[in-house]
Amino acid sequence: MALGILWLGLALLGALQTHAQDSTPNLIPAPPLLLVPVEPDFQNEQFQGKWYFLGLAGNGFNKEKHRRMKMYIANYELNEDNSYNVTSTVAWNQTCHPSTKIFLPNLHLGQFNLGNIERYTGIQNYTSKVVTTDYNQFAILYFKKVHDNQEYIKVILYGRTKEVPSVPKAIFISFIKSLGLTDDHIIFPIPNDECMDK
């Protein structure tokens, strides 16, 4: 009888482990941060201001699942210590939902760490890098988040207007593919007029 219970317990443990492995996403690995390019001689003052969210890609995103994502804005407000208050305003259920994160400067220009990280349950590390920008038309940012021991990467294409310029879009797609991501990981959000003037 005891042997039967032991075998039953081991079988249940094996089933639970298999289920846990199946529920863990099979993520494309994140490259080391040192291998991700950063805008040379990054200019904090020129980067601040309003950016439209024109494109998104990442190892946790799927074009089919996220196809209804709407365009939103992110406002980068530079602080005296060269950190940014980043307020993203998203339209949801016909109301505007702002949320603000603080990004603290890293040792490298154009690279930032999420401030007050302890407020975000499960996040062990969160870093962003300005990969490239011309400050006036577009910016491409790379984000790496470690959440519950899983590494997630996200790349955002920002624009100063709602239109997606063709050259920055091509650079964005090329950079995404250099990370091992595919077209299935790339989302171009639905144009949206809600909450754009916040």
Side-chain angles (χ1 to χ4, degrees):
M1 177 82 170
L3 190 58
I5 292 173
L6 176 63
W7 284 114
L8 178 61
L10 289 173
L12 284 172
L13 180 61
L16 287 172
Q17 285 177 334
T18 301
H19 175 72
Q21 288 170 353
D22 291 344
S23 64
T24 302
N26 188 12
L27 301 174
I28 291 170
L33 277 172
L34 288 173
L35 297 181
V36 176
V38 66
E39 177 65 29
D41 194 29
F42 178 71
Q43 302 297 311
N44 288 335
E45 300 82 15
Q46 292 183 49
F47 189 78
Q48 67 182 333
K50 181 176 174 180
W51 290 99
Y52 292 92
F53 169 75
L54 303 178
L56 169 73
N59 61 356
F61 294 97
N62 176 285
K63 184 186 287 187
E64 184 61 30
K65 182 179 175 184
H66 297 96
R67 71 183 184 277
R68 296 184 184 190
M69 185 176 283
K70 290 183 180 179
M71 183 183 290
Y72 66 84
I73 59 167
N75 191 39
Y76 281 71
E77 180 185 347
L78 185 62
N79 298 312
E80 286 184 15
D81 64 356
N82 288 320
S83 66
Y84 285 105
N85 292 343
V86 182
T87 303
S88 300
T89 305
V90 178
W92 184 261
N93 289 335
Q94 298 169 339
T95 58
C96 300
H97 295 273
S99 67
T100 301
K101 290 185 171 96
I102 299 170
F103 281 95
L104 305 170
N106 193 296
L107 294 174
H108 307 284
L109 274 176
Q111 184 170 311
F112 301 88
N113 295 325
L114 179 64
N116 298 331
I117 197 165
E118 61 279 352
R119 289 180 44 200
Y120 303 94
T121 305
I123 295 182
Q124 294 129 322
N125 192 308
Y126 196 107
T127 304
S128 69
K129 265 187 163 183
V130 179
V131 174
T132 186
T133 183
D134 69 355
Y135 302 100
N136 299 316
Q137 276 193 313
F138 81 98
I140 297 174
L141 274 70
Y142 173 89
F143 297 83
K144 180 179 175 182
K145 173 177 74 173
V146 180
H147 182 268
D148 291 335
N149 298 316
Q150 289 285 320
E151 289 187 340
Y152 294 88
I153 56 175
K154 175 173 71 173
V155 181
I156 294 178
L157 172 62
Y158 283 135
R160 292 292 191 185
T161 67
K162 295 180 193 177
E163 288 76 39
V164 183
S166 58
V167 172
K169 182 178 180 180
I171 295 168
F172 171 71
I173 292 170
S174 177
F175 178 62
I176 294 305
K177 295 195 173 173
S178 77
L179 298 173
L181 300 172
T182 68
D183 289 334
D184 288 335
H185 296 104
I186 302 172
I187 301 149
F188 292 103
I190 300 165
N192 174 42
D193 290 328
E194 297 176 74
C195 309
M196 293 290 117
D197 297 320
K198 300 294 175 188

